[in-house]
Amino acid sequence: MATQVDDARIIEFDVRTDEMLVNMGPQHPSTHGVLRLVLRTDGEIVSEVEPHIGYLHRCAEKIGENLTPRQWIPYTDRMDYLAGMNMNLGWSLCVEKLIEHELPEKAKHLRVIIAEMGRLASHLVGMGAYGLDLGTFSPFLYAFRERERILDLFEEACGARLTYSYLTPGGATADLPNGWLQKCEAFLDQFEPVIQEYHALLTTNAIFIKRTANIGVMSGEMAVDYGCTGPVLRGSGVDYDLRRDGEDRYTELYDGYAFEVIVQRDGHYPKDHDYPAVPKETVLGDCWHRFYVRMLEVVQAIDLVRQAIDRYSTASGDWGVPIKLTHKLPKGEVYLETEAPRGQMGFYLVSDGSSIPWRVRARSSCFCNLSVTSELCRGCLIADVPAIVGSLDIVMGEIDR
Amino acid sequence: MSGQNLVERLSKRFGGKITGSNLDAIDPWIEVAPGGIAEVCEYLRDDAELRLNLLNCISGVDYFEADPKKAAKAGWEPHMEVVYHLSSTFNKHTLVLKVMLPRWKDDVEGELPEVQSVAGVFSTANWHEREVFDLCGVRFMGHPNLRRILCPEDWVGYPLRKDYEMPLEYHGIRGR
């Protein structure tokens, strides 16, 4: 209906835009895999975001009902394919909890070395890919340069570069090869000073801060309410890390290790004199803080690997011989969560007394972390959507399982 | 707080809505009636001592054995379980709650069993309940947006049920 307006100025200020539905994905480089976001936009402002998942659903839980726990290990690799070692660890510990298997001392330290190296590799991709999301390409190349060397080390230990199946119920498939520890230490010595480059490229980069500071702010209560875990939770200032607060079966791996949970307390991160200062524009719980927690965890992981190498080389026992492929499981059900790079990865195993589980369930950290997207993106700009989704550091393989 | 104390405390407060418990299991659990799960969760979350504020996981488990010989030895009647894993970010407490449901509502095949939704208590339950609905076929009453999440909208059946059969074809894609 045409309206009659006498005053021309009213027309000038009465420009309206229509609401529009925009499909972001499933094939979109900044959605980290096959994630589809349906945005309801009004001009540049996003009023609603609806994530659609399931494009990478491979029925891992159903498959698990037909395989023995050790046979299912390769399927855990393919969940969070950027941190396969940590997925192996979570499932192995869950099975060991059910069969009440005790690990030798050396196997525990081996697991810490491998899990923390996995965390390093995973956070490097998280960091590099976040740069890509925000339109800078070079950090990605820097990150992959270092990640290659970690993958080389993993390849030497187990023969695979992405889907390791190395840690397994009972221990690991093999001991670390001769000379591996020296190579690992050489890598850490080379890697540690390089972190400064990442801080220069991203953490303290003015454009990066502009893109991430005060964007997607999430309070601690909201993070807990949505079940967010890992760096996403700690980036909101909640002091919770399963390596310290988890179940005994998991925390005993880290018994005696010196480490402090990376979280901001009274405006400071632990031992923050070594790190770049937190910019004034940032707010606790925004994208920048989530990224920063990840960066600090890289430093922490290096330290933990060093400590683990020392303990491993003097520990007694073997590397942990895997259980039989058809080990009979006792009747019962267990649930165990571990601190994977992206958050708490939980496995739930129900057994009816045979060697094949009755039901397996994987609680994915990214699944919960992603569910907060629609809440975080309400009212933000379209360009901020990749910044927010990227800061959650999701891997679709883990969400869809 | 010991498990026994907690069960007594919950029974005192919620009466018949706490229907059982197993404190000898590896992860001890408490059974809650399908209609009381939301208020029990809310109490556990807000209680100053327990503060179980993090809902880790909701899983559906189908107990059904098609083979009558094996079913006789199984030791349970066919039923559906919904398992809630809670923990606290303030102290190290964890808790497992279970809701026992019939496999089909009123034993009419195709009618989904019903349980109260906890999406109003924990926002994370929103997606977890959608997943349980999608894969195990449990209807969560009061859920704001209960539709399939991992499978396509037009998928038929509930894949994690033990009597599920793969479709022969889906949009021209051959199954089995």
Side-chain angles (χ1 to χ4, degrees):
Chain A
M1 195 178 79
T3 34
Q4 290 276 312
V5 184
D6 299 327
D7 192 341
R9 281 175 306 178
I10 294 178
I11 299 176
E12 201 182 319
F13 291 107
D14 197 31
V15 178
R16 288 210 196 103
T17 49
D18 282 336
E19 275 205 339
M20 189 162 66
L21 276 181
V22 181
N23 258 305
M24 206 183 217
Q27 268 76 25
H28 189 281
S30 78
T31 52
H32 296 252
V34 276
L35 164 69
R36 175 169 149 232
L37 296 169
V38 179
L39 317 180
R40 185 180 292 279
T41 60
D42 186 357
E44 272 289 301
I45 310 288
V46 178
S47 56
E48 200 187 322
V49 176
E50 177 72 36
H52 289 256
I53 62 172
Y55 293 92
L56 206 56
H57 182 47
R58 291 149 302 173
C59 324
E61 293 178 8
K62 188 76 178 174
I63 293 169
E65 292 176 5
N66 300 299
L67 298 176
T68 63
R70 266 195 69 195
Q71 287 174 325
W72 201 54
I73 279 279
Y75 291 87
T76 62
D77 278 328
R78 284 150 181 83
M79 285 182 187
D80 185 347
Y81 43 74
L82 295 177
M85 290 290 192
N86 302 70
M87 300 291 114
N88 295 166
L89 175 66
W91 176 241
S92 304
L93 284 169
C94 179
V95 176
E96 284 159 14
K97 183 178 172 185
L98 180 68
I99 62 176
E100 288 173 353
H101 182 94
E102 284 307 321
L103 283 173
E105 197 62 23
K106 201 170 178 180
K108 289 179 188 168
H109 300 310
L110 173 81
R111 285 189 171 187
V112 175
I113 297 176
I114 293 297
E116 294 303 318
M117 288 293 275
R119 194 182 308 276
L120 268 182
S122 162
H123 280 343
L124 280 174
V125 182
M127 182 214 86
Y130 196 36
L132 274 187
D133 289 345
L134 300 177
T136 165
F137 197 82
S138 20
F140 189 70
L141 301 175
Y142 280 73
F144 266 61
R145 181 186 66 190
E146 260 70 55
R147 183 172 176 263
E148 273 307 297
R149 298 196 55 193
I150 302 180
L151 296 192
D152 287 344
L153 285 169
F154 280 165
E155 189 179 11
E156 208 171 311
C158 66
R161 293 173 67 82
L162 195 70
T163 50
Y164 312 105
S165 310
Y166 180 53
L167 303 178
T168 189
T173 48
D175 200 0
L176 294 174
N178 283 338
W180 194 91
L181 294 179
Q182 286 75 16
K183 282 183 194 164
C184 184
E185 269 175 340
F187 162 72
L188 295 179
D189 291 338
Q190 181 264 329
F191 178 55
E192 201 166 15
V194 168
I195 295 173
Q196 280 309 323
E197 291 181 10
Y198 302 136
H199 287 318
L201 277 166
L202 285 175
T203 319
T204 55
N205 180 326
I207 303 172
F208 180 79
I209 294 172
K210 275 235 155 82
R211 289 292 309 273
T212 54
N214 210 356
I215 302 289
V217 182
M218 175 158 59
S219 70
E221 292 79 46
M222 185 174 152
V224 174
D225 187 33
Y226 274 91
C228 296
T229 46
V232 179
L233 179 70
R234 292 191 283 279
S236 293
V238 179
D239 189 356
Y240 191 59
D241 187 323
L242 285 186
R243 284 175 288 175
R244 186 197 63 196
D245 305 321
E247 232 168 282
D248 293 341
R249 190 165 274 280
Y250 180 53
T251 51
E252 72 178 10
L253 295 182
Y254 292 89
D255 255 357
Y257 283 80
F259 73 101
E260 212 174 331
V261 175
I262 303 288
V263 66
Q264 197 182 46
R265 302 182 187 87
D266 312 320
H268 288 284
Y269 281 96
K271 300 185 209 136
D272 59 356
H273 43 267
D274 295 341
Y275 314 130
V278 176
K280 286 184 190 66
E281 305 95 298
T282 60
V283 184
L284 186 65
D286 63 4
C287 294
W288 191 89
H289 274 272
R290 287 195 276 278
F291 172 82
Y292 196 51
V293 166
R294 245 170 238 126
M295 290 304 289
L296 300 192
E297 282 190 10
V298 168
V299 183
Q300 185 188 49
I302 293 176
D303 189 38
L304 280 171
V305 175
R306 284 220 172 99
Q307 293 183 40
I309 288 178
D310 287 346
R311 279 152 211 259
Y312 173 83
S313 31
T314 55
S316 58
D318 54 22
W319 72 90
V321 179
I323 59 169
K324 270 199 317 213
L325 207 57
T326 53
H327 190 100
K328 215 165 151 57
L329 302 171
K331 211 168 177 168
E333 48 195 271
V334 289
Y335 181 74
L336 190 121
E337 283 198 350
T338 55
E339 188 76 31
R342 288 177 175 71
Q344 298 172 11
M345 186 69 201
F347 286 99
Y348 179 51
L349 166 59
V350 183
S351 162
D352 62 345
S354 68
S355 58
I356 294 171
W358 180 258
R359 170 88 162 91
V360 292
R361 167 97 165 94
R363 182 261 188 210
S364 148
S365 48
C366 296
F367 184 82
C368 304
N369 289 356
L370 181 68
S371 68
V372 79
T373 322
S374 33
E375 192 71 29
L376 283 187
C377 290
R378 194 165 293 144
C380 73
L381 297 173
I382 293 181
D384 289 339
V385 173
I388 293 172
V389 174
S391 77
L392 301 173
D393 190 17
I394 51 168
V395 163
M396 290 315 288
E398 190 190 337
I399 293 171
D400 295 339
R401 283 154 287 148
Chain B
M1 190 189 302
S2 80
Q4 195 56 45
N5 280 348
L6 180 63
V7 175
E8 276 165 22
R9 190 160 141 194
L10 288 175
S11 306
K12 211 167 143 191
R13 192 178 162 93
F14 295 104
K17 283 178 180 160
I18 307 296
T19 42
S21 64
N22 182 351
L23 302 176
D24 305 322
I26 307 173
D27 291 326
W29 48 265
I30 298 174
E31 190 192 325
V32 183
I37 185 73
E39 49 180 314
V40 171
C41 280
E42 195 172 353
Y43 173 76
L44 293 169
R45 183 194 66 182
D46 296 336
D47 185 75
E49 197 183 343
L50 299 165
R51 300 180 93 178
L52 292 155
N53 56 346
L54 182 65
L55 176 65
N56 295 90
C57 188
I58 302 180
S59 338
V61 188
D62 183 20
Y63 287 88
F64 174 75
E65 181 59 68
D67 185 351
K69 267 187 198 162
K70 282 186 190 164
K73 280 192 273 178
W76 35 251
E77 290 294 305
H79 67 284
M80 184 70 95
E81 275 179 20
V82 183
V83 189
Y84 300 76
H85 290 95
L86 302 166
S87 61
S88 165
T89 59
F90 297 101
N91 43 48
K92 279 185 166 192
H93 292 168
T94 58
L95 182 68
V96 186
L97 297 179
K98 275 191 182 186
V99 174
M100 307 285 182
L101 300 167
R103 292 193 75 242
W104 301 109
K105 189 187 175 192
D106 305 326
D107 286 328
V108 184
E109 198 158 318
E111 289 289 315
L112 297 186
E114 289 170 355
V115 57
Q116 210 174 23
S117 166
V118 296
V121 186
F122 300 105
S123 302
T124 180
N126 189 322
W127 277 28
H128 273 119
E129 287 178 352
R130 276 176 67 187
E131 190 183 331
V132 175
F133 163 73
D134 184 0
L135 301 180
C136 299
V138 175
R139 193 171 296 286
F140 290 88
M141 306 306 284
H143 189 284
N145 182 20
L146 194 66
R147 55 192 176 85
R148 289 188 183 267
I149 187 164
L150 291 177
C151 295
E153 295 274 318
D154 58 350
W155 195 257
V156 181
Y158 303 97
L160 282 179
R161 283 187 173 236
K162 293 282 177 183
D163 54 355
Y164 175 75
E165 281 180 20
M166 266 284 280
L168 287 171
E169 67 96 40
Y170 174 74
H171 290 290
I173 307 165
R174 202 155 61 91
R176 293 214 205 165

